Amino acid sequence: MHGEYKVPGGKLVVVDLEVEDGALRHVRVAGDFFLEPDEALLDINRALEGAPADTPAPELAARIDAALPEGTVMFGFSSEAVGVAVRRALAQATDWDHYDWQLVHDGPQSPALHMALDEVLTAEVAAGRRPPTLRVWEWASPAVVIGSFQSLRNEVDPEGAERHGMTVVRRISGGGAMFIEPGNTITYSLCVPDALVQGLSFADSYAYLDDWVLAALEGMGVKAWYQPLNDIATEAGKIAGAAQKRVVSGGGAVLHHVTMAYDIDADKMLDVLRIGKEKLSDKGTKSAKKRVDPLRRQTGLPREAVIERMVASFRGRYGLADGGVTPEEMARAEELAATKFSSEEWTARVP
């Protein structure tokens, strides 16, 4: 069995192993990481040899830590990363380059249609009828997008939303509210087979699926990192938030979508969103205005150039063919947009 795990912001860890009588055998760890002393690699292999095949990644990491000599230096990876690579090998997880990726980047669409397209395209990937897809959104109008489990009245001031002409929609993933203005927001979705994240914890899958965009940001002079669970942050503040939805039908799929602040009207945002003190204190900041530091200021680039560089980063890593939504997919999405995502029943399902 063969497993690979690219540490977000770090190096590649590769594990080859066999399972005999329910235990790990013939374990061989490799990668482009740095490790001192050299002999520590043999200690890692020996620590994993004979471990029960159902051992969780944290316990595999503990076995490695206990076996490493004092003063061992692991650079670009960790014992936890090795544990994840082992679990991915056992789960027969796939890797990014196993797929022919498709880009969907269409013209501006309504908030409800964006919600519906996420649901439809992810279901198509799960069914094997669509290749794994990176979809870049263009917004036709301003919106507030609330998480699947958020209370509508707790999150949105209806008078503020009406005053600023903002449509309120609810997405199928969890997480917090998104304040959307078309020219100030960069949003993208990844619709990927479940096999791509096999062996990863729910938390680890967030950073794993966005490692490419962290590299793209670094290429634009922005040093960014994942702030658990689902924020992309810089020293200047948060720049993006991610959310996920798992689909279990068919072969299984994961919807992972991210909204990035290219620019922001903080006063308008505070007039529309009800951002509680408890949420702000959890983020370690006193002001909602200071929570987000837009990409326009940090990169100095036009919004379109930021998107182009992000797409180029993905294409350079994994390959990416230009594609589009099929007529059948669009017909189903338009029906869902009208019957579900524009309905009061769905939007106010958590009042």
Side-chain angles (χ1 to χ4, degrees):
M1 298 179 182
H2 179 87
E4 298 184 2
Y5 177 54
K6 170 64 169 61
V7 180
K11 298 296 184 178
L12 178 68
V13 180
V14 180
V15 175
D16 291 284
L17 56 84
E18 298 174 13
V19 176
E20 297 176 0
D21 298 324
L24 306 185
R25 300 295 181 193
H26 312 296
V27 181
R28 300 174 302 282
V29 176
D32 60 357
F33 49 75
F34 300 92
L35 176 65
E36 294 289 347
D38 286 356
E39 295 76 16
L41 185 62
L42 298 178
D43 294 319
I44 293 174
N45 291 340
R46 283 193 287 263
L48 296 171
E49 191 73 23
D54 60 356
T55 305
E59 293 183 23
L60 293 171
R63 290 174 69 108
I64 293 170
D65 290 337
L68 289 174
E70 186 176 353
T72 297
V73 176
M74 308 172 78
F75 187 69
F77 80 122
S78 64
S79 55
E80 290 81 4
V82 177
V84 170
V86 170
R87 296 309 317 167
R88 284 177 61 76
L90 293 166
Q92 299 184 343
T94 57
D95 202 4
W96 295 85
D97 58 8
H98 292 172
Y99 301 104
D100 295 323
W101 293 87
Q102 185 177 110
L103 172 67
V104 173
H105 188 184
D106 294 330
Q109 293 161 328
S110 72
L113 185 58
H114 277 307
M115 303 304 106
L117 282 168
D118 263 359
E119 181 170 323
V120 169
L121 297 187
T122 306
E124 289 297 286
V125 171
R129 293 187 291 264
R130 160 169 283 278
T133 299
L134 167 64
R135 184 170 74 91
V136 180
W137 304 21
E138 297 293 347
W139 295 87
S141 60
V144 174
V145 183
I146 60 175
S148 181
F149 310 107
Q150 287 189 296
S151 162
L152 176 60
R153 61 171 166 252
N154 287 348
E155 297 299 325
V156 183
D157 183 325
E159 294 180 356
E162 183 177 1
R163 186 160 48 247
H164 297 291
M166 307 199 84
T167 302
V168 181
V169 291
R170 185 185 296 274
R171 62 181 184 269
I172 60 173
S173 63
M178 299 154 49
F179 177 79
I180 305 296
E181 292 185 288
N184 291 346
T185 305
I186 297 173
T187 307
Y188 65 88
S189 299
L190 284 171
C191 303
V192 307
D194 183 67
L196 183 63
V197 297
Q198 282 296 306
L200 297 176
S201 70
F202 191 82
D204 287 342
S205 70
Y206 274 81
Y208 180 72
L209 291 175
D210 279 331
D211 188 54
W212 64 277
V213 83
L214 298 185
L217 290 170
E218 187 170 13
M220 290 179 264
V222 179
K223 179 60 178 176
W225 60 87
Y226 240 82
Q227 185 169 297
L229 170 67
N230 62 331
D231 287 348
I232 299 176
T234 69
E235 290 184 354
K238 173 182 172 179
I239 58 174
Q244 287 186 5
K245 174 67 176 178
R246 306 294 172 108
V247 174
V248 298
S249 61
V254 177
L255 167 65
H256 176 94
H257 43 201
V258 175
T259 291
M260 313 179 78
Y262 172 72
D263 204 348
I264 195 164
D265 185 331
D267 290 325
K268 187 184 296 185
M269 179 182 72
L270 293 175
D271 197 34
V272 174
L273 298 184
R274 290 173 168 158
I275 302 175
K277 293 181 179 180
E278 184 67 24
K279 183 169 185 177
L280 295 180
S281 65
D282 180 60
K283 301 295 182 181
T285 181
K286 296 180 180 180
S287 171
K289 294 184 181 181
K290 295 179 181 178
R291 284 191 59 212
V292 179
D293 194 75
L295 287 171
R296 179 178 183 178
R297 188 190 69 79
Q298 293 203 46
T299 65
L301 295 170
R303 176 180 176 274
E304 293 74 15
V306 174
I307 293 173
E308 287 175 4
R309 294 198 185 191
M310 288 170 54
V311 170
S313 174
F314 192 103
R315 181 174 281 121
R317 279 191 171 204
Y318 313 126
L320 187 64
D322 292 338
V325 178
T326 69
E328 294 78 14
E329 290 168 339
M330 183 58 75
R332 292 212 310 279
E334 288 174 342
E335 181 182 3
L336 273 178
T339 61
K340 178 178 179 178
F341 293 104
S342 296
S343 71
E344 182 70 15
E345 180 182 9
W346 170 257
T347 305
R349 76 183 190 105
V350 183

